[in-house]
C-alpha cells in the first residue's frame, strides 16, 4: 500500500500489571522465543510503512529499562517517546495520546497482543479512512446465550452479529483525543475500550475491521503455550 494516508502514530500500551498472569515479571516483558512479548508488536509497527512514529507507554519507573533493553537493544527507530502510563488502561491511553506529535490517525494497541500483523494494519487503515474509527475484531465462533436473573437461558444471540474485539483500535486523532478529553472529564465508568469512548462522544460510527484468530491477548499462563505454538509455526 502506498504511503499517502496522512501521518500515523501508534500508541503501544505496556503499562499494565499483568495480575492474571501471576508471574514475577510483567507479561509484556516475559520471553517468547527469546524476545520479550512487547518486542513483537513494536516490530510490526516498526516494519509497517504506514506508521510514522510509535509512542510506547510503560509503567512509571520502567521508561529507562524500556529505552535500553527494548528500544535501543532491538533498534526500534520509530519510537519517538516513552511515557509513563497510569492506574487504568484508559489513563495509559490518554498519556499516550497526549505524547503523539499531532498525527492524522492513531493506532492504539495492547502490547499483550504480539501477533498483530502488517495485513491487519493495512485493513485498519482502509477502514479508518472510511469512518474515522475502527476496531480490529473477529467473528464469534461459539454460540452465545443471554441468561435471565435465575440462571435460565433467556435468548440465543444471533451469532452473525457478534464479534470478538481485539486491538489495534484506530481513530482519526483529533476525534479520539477529544473523545478521551470529554470522557476523562465526565468519568470513565463503564468504558472498557477505546471504541466506547468514541461511541459515547457520538463523533463517529465505529467500523469492524477484520483481525485474525491468531491475534490473541496474552492474559493467563496457558496463553503463553498457545503463543509458543504460533511462533513455532511461523
Ligand atoms: N495496560 C496499560 N496500563 C494499564 C493497564 C493495562 O498500559 N493501567 C495495558 C497492558 O499492558 C496490556 C493492555 O493494556 O498490554 C491490555 O490490558 P490487560 O490485558 O488487562 O493487561 P494487564 O492490565 O497488565 O493485566 P491484568 O488485567 O491481568 O492485570
Ligand atoms: Mg487489565
Amino acid at each position: 500500500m502506498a504511503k499517502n494516508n496522512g501521518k500515523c502514530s501508534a500508541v503501544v500500551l505496556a503499562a499494565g500489571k499483568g495480575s492474571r498472569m501471576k508471574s514475577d515479571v510483567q507479561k509484556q516483558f516475559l520471553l517468547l522465543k527469546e524476545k520479550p512479548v512487547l518486542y513483537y508488536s513494536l516490530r510490526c509497527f516498526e516494519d509497517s510503512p504506514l506508521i510514522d512514529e510509535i509512542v510506547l507507554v510503560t509503567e512509571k519507573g520502567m521508561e529507562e529499562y524500556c529505552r535500553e533493553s527494548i528500544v535501543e537493544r532491538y533498534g526500534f527507530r520509530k519510537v519517538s517517546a516513552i511515557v509513563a502510563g497510569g492506574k487504568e488502561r484508559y489513563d495509559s491511553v490518554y498519556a499516550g495520546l497526549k505524547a503523539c506529535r499531532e498525527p492524522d490517525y492513531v493506532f492504539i494497541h495492547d502490547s499483550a497482543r504480539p501477533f498483530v500483523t502488517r495485513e491487519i494494519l493495512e485493513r485498519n487503515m482502509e477502514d479508518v479512512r472510511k469512518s474515522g474509527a475502527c476496531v480490529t475484531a473477529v467473528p464469534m465462533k461459539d454460540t452465545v446465550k443471554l441468561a435471565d436473573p435465575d440462571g435460565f437461558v433467556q435468548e440465543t444471540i444471533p451469532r452473525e452479529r457478534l464479534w470478538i474485539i481485539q486491538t489495534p483500535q484506530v481513530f482519526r486523532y483529533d476525534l479520539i483525543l477529544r473523545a478521551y478529553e470529554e470522557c476523562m472529564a465526565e468519568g470513565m465508568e463503564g468504558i472498557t475500550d477505546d471504541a466506547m469512548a468514541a461511541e459515547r462522544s457520538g463523533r463517529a460510527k465505529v467500523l469492524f475491521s477484520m483481525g485474525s484468530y491468531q491475534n490473541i491477548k496474552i492474559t493467563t499462563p496457558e496463553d503463553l503455550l498457545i503463543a509458543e505454538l504460533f511462533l513455532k509455526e511461523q
Side-chain angles (χ1 to χ4, degrees), residues 28-201:
Q28 53 271 35
F29 303 123
L30 288 174
L31 297 184
L32 277 179
K33 237 187 177 178
E34 284 148 39
K35 298 209 171 66
V37 166
L38 168 60
Y39 163 88
Y40 293 92
S41 33
L42 290 177
R43 180 92 265 157
C44 178
F45 287 108
E46 177 84 19
D47 289 348
S48 167
L50 293 175
I51 302 298
D52 298 288
E53 69 160 356
I54 301 169
V55 170
L56 175 56
V57 186
T58 188
E59 199 187 346
K60 197 168 172 47
M62 291 298 279
E63 298 94 326
E64 263 322 292
Y65 172 82
C66 283
R67 177 172 310 285
E68 283 169 20
S69 303
I70 297 186
V71 175
E72 285 171 8
R73 169 149 188 216
Y74 297 106
F76 292 125
R77 295 176 11 182
K78 289 184 185 171
V79 175
S80 59
I82 302 176
V83 298
K87 186 163 177 289
E88 303 296 337
R89 183 182 178 282
Y90 55 75
D91 297 312
S92 300
V93 173
Y94 192 43
L97 289 175
K98 286 188 288 186
C100 292
R101 295 179 186 162
E102 294 190 19
D104 298 296
Y105 297 100
V106 61
F107 290 64
I108 301 174
H109 183 64
D110 293 341
S111 69
R113 292 190 190 271
F115 299 111
V116 59
T117 61
R118 202 163 152 159
E119 292 70 35
I120 292 175
L121 302 188
E122 283 168 10
R123 283 195 293 272
N124 290 162
M125 191 74 237
E126 277 176 37
D127 291 327
V128 77
R129 280 162 65 89
K130 287 181 205 150
S131 68
C134 72
V135 287
T136 305
V138 286
M140 184 78 198
K141 289 196 231 178
D142 299 328
T143 295
V144 179
K145 295 182 191 290
L146 192 69
D148 72 11
D150 306 315
F152 290 93
V153 173
Q154 182 171 314
E155 65 176 294
T156 302
I157 318 274
R159 190 169 54 204
E160 314 75 62
R161 297 188 55 194
L162 292 174
W163 292 73
I164 311 283
I165 304 304
Q166 306 178 336
T167 67
Q169 301 202 357
V170 190
F171 307 90
R172 264 198 7 246
Y173 178 70
D174 57 339
L175 176 158
I176 194 68
L177 183 65
R178 245 179 279 145
Y180 258 88
E181 280 165 357
E182 282 173 15
C183 288
M184 295 295 278
E186 288 167 14
M188 292 296 286
E189 283 92 81
I191 296 211
T192 53
D193 72 351
D194 312 307
M196 282 183 78
E199 289 157 32
R200 186 189 278 184
S201 78

Side-chain angles (χ1 to χ4, degrees), residues 16-20 27 87-89 217 219:
K17 297 239 177 276
S19 45
R20 286 169 286 177
K27 60 185 181 180
K87 186 163 177 289
E88 303 296 337
R89 183 182 178 282
K217 183 158 72 71
T219 308

